[in-house]
mmCIF file of all heavy atoms in Angstrom:
data_model
loop_
_atom_site.group_PDB
_atom_site.id
_atom_site.type_symbol
_atom_site.label_atom_id
_atom_site.label_comp_id
_atom_site.label_asym_id
_atom_site.label_seq_id
_atom_site.Cartn_x
_atom_site.Cartn_y
_atom_site.Cartn_z
ATOM 1 N N GLU N 634 108.686 109.513 112.110
ATOM 2 C CA GLU N 634 108.141 109.801 110.791
ATOM 3 C C GLU N 634 107.858 108.496 110.082
ATOM 4 O O GLU N 634 108.647 107.565 110.158
ATOM 5 C CB GLU N 634 109.144 110.614 109.966
ATOM 6 C CG GLU N 634 109.140 112.078 110.300
ATOM 7 C CD GLU N 634 110.050 112.891 109.391
ATOM 8 O OE1 GLU N 634 110.675 112.289 108.492
ATOM 9 O OE2 GLU N 634 110.118 114.103 109.577
ATOM 10 N N ILE N 635 106.693 108.432 109.427
ATOM 11 C CA ILE N 635 106.419 107.294 108.561
ATOM 12 C C ILE N 635 106.350 107.857 107.154
ATOM 13 O O ILE N 635 105.477 108.678 106.862
ATOM 14 C CB ILE N 635 105.092 106.605 108.920
ATOM 15 C CG1 ILE N 635 105.134 106.078 110.347
ATOM 16 C CG2 ILE N 635 104.806 105.467 107.945
ATOM 17 C CD1 ILE N 635 103.845 105.488 110.839
ATOM 18 N N ASN N 636 107.261 107.415 106.320
ATOM 19 C CA ASN N 636 107.317 107.940 104.954
ATOM 20 C C ASN N 636 107.305 109.473 104.960
ATOM 21 O O ASN N 636 106.568 110.109 104.229
ATOM 22 C CB ASN N 636 106.128 107.398 104.150
ATOM 23 C CG ASN N 636 106.317 107.586 102.672
ATOM 24 O OD1 ASN N 636 107.437 107.733 102.198
ATOM 25 N ND2 ASN N 636 105.227 107.610 101.926
ATOM 26 N N ARG N 637 108.088 110.023 105.858
ATOM 27 C CA ARG N 637 108.255 111.468 106.007
ATOM 28 C C ARG N 637 107.039 112.187 106.589
ATOM 29 O O ARG N 637 107.003 113.413 106.660
ATOM 30 C CB ARG N 637 108.619 112.129 104.681
ATOM 31 C CG ARG N 637 109.991 111.712 104.176
ATOM 32 C CD ARG N 637 110.488 112.740 103.220
ATOM 33 N NE ARG N 637 111.738 112.356 102.603
ATOM 34 C CZ ARG N 637 112.827 113.100 102.647
ATOM 35 N NH1 ARG N 637 112.816 114.231 103.297
ATOM 36 N NH2 ARG N 637 113.909 112.720 102.047
ATOM 37 N N VAL N 638 105.994 111.449 106.928
ATOM 38 C CA VAL N 638 104.832 112.081 107.540
ATOM 39 C C VAL N 638 105.009 112.038 109.051
ATOM 40 O O VAL N 638 105.208 110.970 109.629
ATOM 41 C CB VAL N 638 103.530 111.371 107.126
ATOM 42 C CG1 VAL N 638 102.343 112.023 107.806
ATOM 43 C CG2 VAL N 638 103.379 111.411 105.623
ATOM 44 N N GLN N 639 104.931 113.213 109.671
ATOM 45 C CA GLN N 639 105.235 113.295 111.096
ATOM 46 C C GLN N 639 104.175 112.598 111.945
ATOM 47 O O GLN N 639 102.980 112.681 111.658
ATOM 48 C CB GLN N 639 105.333 114.764 111.514
ATOM 49 C CG GLN N 639 106.033 114.945 112.838
ATOM 50 C CD GLN N 639 105.662 116.258 113.521
ATOM 51 O OE1 GLN N 639 105.115 117.151 112.891
ATOM 52 N NE2 GLN N 639 105.958 116.359 114.786
ATOM 53 N N THR N 659 99.068 115.010 110.908
ATOM 54 C CA THR N 659 98.938 115.778 109.670
ATOM 55 C C THR N 659 98.000 116.977 109.830
ATOM 56 O O THR N 659 98.282 118.057 109.316
ATOM 57 C CB THR N 659 98.417 114.849 108.551
ATOM 58 O OG1 THR N 659 99.419 113.882 108.309
ATOM 59 C CG2 THR N 659 98.140 115.609 107.284
ATOM 60 N N ASN N 663 98.999 120.625 108.895
ATOM 61 C CA ASN N 663 98.301 121.399 107.868
ATOM 62 C C ASN N 663 97.802 122.723 108.432
ATOM 63 O O ASN N 663 97.752 123.727 107.724
ATOM 64 C CB ASN N 663 97.152 120.593 107.272
ATOM 65 C CG ASN N 663 97.665 119.529 106.324
ATOM 66 O OD1 ASN N 663 98.842 119.539 105.957
ATOM 67 N ND2 ASN N 663 96.816 118.610 105.930
ATOM 68 N N LEU N 666 100.698 124.879 108.386
ATOM 69 C CA LEU N 666 100.990 125.282 107.004
ATOM 70 C C LEU N 666 100.044 126.386 106.550
ATOM 71 O O LEU N 666 100.473 127.376 105.934
ATOM 72 C CB LEU N 666 100.835 124.063 106.096
ATOM 73 C CG LEU N 666 101.725 123.996 104.877
ATOM 74 C CD1 LEU N 666 103.183 124.048 105.275
ATOM 75 C CD2 LEU N 666 101.446 122.704 104.117
ATOM 76 N N LEU N 730 105.415 123.498 95.708
ATOM 77 C CA LEU N 730 105.013 122.094 95.542
ATOM 78 C C LEU N 730 106.205 121.192 95.228
ATOM 79 O O LEU N 730 106.265 120.051 95.667
ATOM 80 C CB LEU N 730 104.026 121.963 94.381
ATOM 81 C CG LEU N 730 102.614 122.454 94.566
ATOM 82 C CD1 LEU N 730 101.785 122.089 93.340
ATOM 83 C CD2 LEU N 730 101.996 121.808 95.780
ATOM 84 N N PHE N 732 108.978 120.926 96.273
ATOM 85 C CA PHE N 732 109.760 120.429 97.412
ATOM 86 C C PHE N 732 108.906 119.639 98.396
ATOM 87 O O PHE N 732 109.297 119.394 99.518
ATOM 88 C CB PHE N 732 110.439 121.603 98.120
ATOM 89 C CG PHE N 732 111.447 122.287 97.234
ATOM 90 C CD1 PHE N 732 111.116 123.431 96.537
ATOM 91 C CD2 PHE N 732 112.713 121.744 97.079
ATOM 92 C CE1 PHE N 732 112.032 124.044 95.700
ATOM 93 C CE2 PHE N 732 113.631 122.347 96.246
ATOM 94 C CZ PHE N 732 113.296 123.500 95.553
ATOM 95 N N ARG N 733 107.712 119.298 97.959
ATOM 96 C CA ARG N 733 106.841 118.529 98.836
ATOM 97 C C ARG N 733 106.283 117.308 98.124
ATOM 98 O O ARG N 733 106.249 117.269 96.893
ATOM 99 C CB ARG N 733 105.660 119.393 99.294
ATOM 100 C CG ARG N 733 106.106 120.396 100.292
ATOM 101 C CD ARG N 733 105.006 121.211 100.853
ATOM 102 N NE ARG N 733 105.596 122.060 101.866
ATOM 103 C CZ ARG N 733 105.596 121.797 103.165
ATOM 104 N NH1 ARG N 733 104.987 120.735 103.628
ATOM 105 N NH2 ARG N 733 106.175 122.598 104.009
ATOM 106 N N ARG N 734 105.842 116.333 98.907
ATOM 107 C CA ARG N 734 105.067 115.251 98.323
ATOM 108 C C ARG N 734 103.615 115.706 98.421
ATOM 109 O O ARG N 734 103.089 115.836 99.525
ATOM 110 C CB ARG N 734 105.282 113.954 99.104
ATOM 111 C CG ARG N 734 104.776 112.761 98.331
ATOM 112 C CD ARG N 734 105.073 111.458 99.001
ATOM 113 N NE ARG N 734 104.270 111.313 100.192
ATOM 114 C CZ ARG N 734 104.777 110.981 101.376
ATOM 115 N NH1 ARG N 734 106.050 110.753 101.514
ATOM 116 N NH2 ARG N 734 104.004 110.863 102.425
ATOM 117 N N TRP N 735 103.027 116.023 97.329
ATOM 118 C CA TRP N 735 101.741 116.694 97.355
ATOM 119 C C TRP N 735 100.770 115.972 96.444
ATOM 120 O O TRP N 735 100.825 116.101 95.234
ATOM 121 C CB TRP N 735 101.907 118.155 96.905
ATOM 122 C CG TRP N 735 100.709 118.994 97.116
ATOM 123 C CD1 TRP N 735 99.520 118.880 96.439
ATOM 124 C CD2 TRP N 735 100.536 120.065 98.045
ATOM 125 N NE1 TRP N 735 98.644 119.811 96.891
ATOM 126 C CE2 TRP N 735 99.234 120.557 97.875
ATOM 127 C CE3 TRP N 735 101.354 120.663 98.985
ATOM 128 C CZ2 TRP N 735 98.741 121.611 98.631
ATOM 129 C CZ3 TRP N 735 100.864 121.714 99.725
ATOM 130 C CH2 TRP N 735 99.572 122.177 99.553
ATOM 131 N N SER N 736 99.859 115.199 97.049
ATOM 132 C CA SER N 736 98.810 114.557 96.268
ATOM 133 C C SER N 736 97.520 115.308 96.541
ATOM 134 O O SER N 736 97.308 115.788 97.649
ATOM 135 C CB SER N 736 98.682 113.096 96.689
ATOM 136 O OG SER N 736 97.425 112.616 96.313
ATOM 137 N N ASP N 739 95.692 113.168 99.282
ATOM 138 C CA ASP N 739 96.307 112.773 100.548
ATOM 139 C C ASP N 739 96.479 114.011 101.423
ATOM 140 O O ASP N 739 97.137 114.969 101.019
ATOM 141 C CB ASP N 739 97.679 112.140 100.258
ATOM 142 C CG ASP N 739 98.322 111.591 101.510
ATOM 143 O OD1 ASP N 739 97.693 111.746 102.593
ATOM 144 O OD2 ASP N 739 99.419 111.032 101.435
ATOM 145 N N PRO N 740 95.867 114.015 102.596
ATOM 146 C CA PRO N 740 95.992 115.214 103.432
ATOM 147 C C PRO N 740 97.435 115.499 103.854
ATOM 148 O O PRO N 740 97.797 116.660 104.067
ATOM 149 C CB PRO N 740 95.113 114.930 104.650
ATOM 150 C CG PRO N 740 94.646 113.539 104.525
ATOM 151 C CD PRO N 740 95.003 113.001 103.186
ATOM 152 N N ALA N 741 98.252 114.447 103.965
ATOM 153 C CA ALA N 741 99.633 114.683 104.386
ATOM 154 C C ALA N 741 100.452 115.176 103.196
ATOM 155 O O ALA N 741 100.481 114.533 102.159
ATOM 156 C CB ALA N 741 100.235 113.394 104.929
ATOM 157 N N LYS N 742 101.063 116.329 103.358
ATOM 158 C CA LYS N 742 101.851 116.892 102.263
ATOM 159 C C LYS N 742 103.235 117.253 102.787
ATOM 160 O O LYS N 742 103.580 118.420 102.920
ATOM 161 C CB LYS N 742 101.135 118.117 101.699
ATOM 162 C CG LYS N 742 99.727 117.760 101.212
ATOM 163 C CD LYS N 742 98.952 118.937 100.792
ATOM 164 C CE LYS N 742 97.493 118.697 100.495
ATOM 165 N NZ LYS N 742 97.060 117.469 99.906
ATOM 166 N N PRO N 743 104.018 116.231 103.123
ATOM 167 C CA PRO N 743 105.271 116.506 103.825
ATOM 168 C C PRO N 743 106.327 117.153 102.932
ATOM 169 O O PRO N 743 106.331 116.944 101.714
ATOM 170 C CB PRO N 743 105.736 115.123 104.271
ATOM 171 C CG PRO N 743 105.105 114.199 103.322
ATOM 172 C CD PRO N 743 103.800 114.801 102.921
ATOM 173 N N PHE N 744 107.190 117.905 103.582
ATOM 174 C CA PHE N 744 108.339 118.498 102.920
ATOM 175 C C PHE N 744 109.331 117.382 102.626
ATOM 176 O O PHE N 744 109.667 116.600 103.497
ATOM 177 C CB PHE N 744 108.956 119.525 103.869
ATOM 178 C CG PHE N 744 110.178 120.190 103.317
ATOM 179 C CD1 PHE N 744 110.071 121.170 102.347
ATOM 180 C CD2 PHE N 744 111.442 119.845 103.786
ATOM 181 C CE1 PHE N 744 111.194 121.794 101.844
ATOM 182 C CE2 PHE N 744 112.578 120.466 103.289
ATOM 183 C CZ PHE N 744 112.449 121.443 102.310
ATOM 184 N N VAL N 745 109.797 117.297 101.374
ATOM 185 C CA VAL N 745 110.732 116.217 101.044
ATOM 186 C C VAL N 745 112.065 116.757 100.565
ATOM 187 O O VAL N 745 112.887 116.003 100.028
ATOM 188 C CB VAL N 745 110.140 115.249 99.992
ATOM 189 C CG1 VAL N 745 108.961 114.494 100.550
ATOM 190 C CG2 VAL N 745 109.743 115.993 98.730
ATOM 191 N N GLY N 746 112.270 118.040 100.727
ATOM 192 C CA GLY N 746 113.545 118.626 100.304
ATOM 193 C C GLY N 746 113.751 118.451 98.811
ATOM 194 O O GLY N 746 112.856 118.728 98.011
ATOM 195 N N ASN N 749 112.065 115.091 95.338
ATOM 196 C CA ASN N 749 111.436 114.972 94.018
ATOM 197 C C ASN N 749 112.477 115.057 92.910
ATOM 198 O O ASN N 749 112.381 114.355 91.908
ATOM 199 C CB ASN N 749 110.402 116.084 93.826
ATOM 200 C CG ASN N 749 109.143 115.816 94.627
ATOM 201 O OD1 ASN N 749 108.761 114.662 94.834
ATOM 202 N ND2 ASN N 749 108.518 116.874 95.112
#
Side-chain angles (χ1 to χ4, degrees):
Chain N
E634 280 185 0
I635 299 175
N636 195 22
R637 294 202 185 236
V638 178
Q639 197 203 344
T659 295
N663 285 348
L666 212 58
L730 287 186
F732 296 98
R733 287 184 176 263
R734 194 175 70 230
W735 190 291
S736 159
D739 185 358
K742 302 174 189 325
F744 179 76
V745 294
N749 285 328

